[in-house]
């Protein structure tokens, strides 16, 4: 069994920054990939940023240059540093970890960008 615990969401003004964390625990043998998704009300879930199995990073065009994904392998934790936040970044952010080709999802953390 694998558990994902996310933290770091909240309310921030436009132009502000937040750092999200997602820590995996449990039966972790080999993490194939890690990623952050988001879902805004009335919209489909969107891939924001991620690591491939080879360790390469990828970003959606909407966050490129503003968001940075990183990871701490010793802690089985993935981070999402979000800068220059915009109101359209408001969403529930969810992390996904693929372990032995099985996807696991976090519970989500709310990010609200508003003045």
């Amino acid at each position: 069994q694998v558990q994902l615990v996310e933290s770091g969401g909240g309310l921030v003004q436009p132009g502000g920054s937040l750092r999200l964390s997602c820590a995996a625990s449990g039966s972790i043998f080999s993490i194939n990939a890690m990623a952050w998704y988001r879902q805004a009300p009335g919209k489909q879930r969107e891939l924001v940023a991620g690591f491939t199995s080879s360790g390469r990073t990828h970003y959606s065009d909407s966050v490129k240059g503003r968001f940075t994904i990183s990871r701490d392998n010793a802690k089985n934790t993935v981070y999402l540093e979000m800068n220059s936040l915009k109101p359209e970044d408001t969403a529930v952010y969810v992390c996904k970890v693929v372990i032995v080709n099985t996807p696991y999802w976090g519970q989500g953390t709310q990010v609200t960008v508003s003045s």
Side-chain angles (χ1 to χ4, degrees), residues 30 32 98-103:
S30 175
N32 301 119
V98 180
I99 298 172
V100 194
N101 297 318
T102 300

Side-chain angles (χ1 to χ4, degrees), residues 22-65:
C22 174
S25 62
S27 302
I28 300 172
F29 301 104
S30 175
I31 295 179
N32 301 119
M34 307 175 90
W36 286 96
Y37 288 72
R38 69 185 180 187
Q39 186 162 20
K43 294 188 176 181
Q44 288 190 329
R45 182 173 287 182
E46 171 192 17
L47 174 61
V48 176
F51 282 99
T52 67
S53 56
S54 62
R56 296 182 64 181
T57 58
H58 53 91
Y59 298 90
S60 69
D61 288 341
S62 60
V63 307
K64 215 171 277 185

Side-chain angles (χ1 to χ4, degrees), residues 63-83:
V63 307
K64 215 171 277 185
R66 300 187 297 121
F67 290 11
T68 303
I69 190 170
S70 61
R71 63 192 291 179
D72 184 333
N73 292 331
K75 296 181 179 180
N76 292 320
T77 299
V78 61
Y79 304 95
L80 186 67
E81 184 77 34
M82 305 185 293
N83 298 313

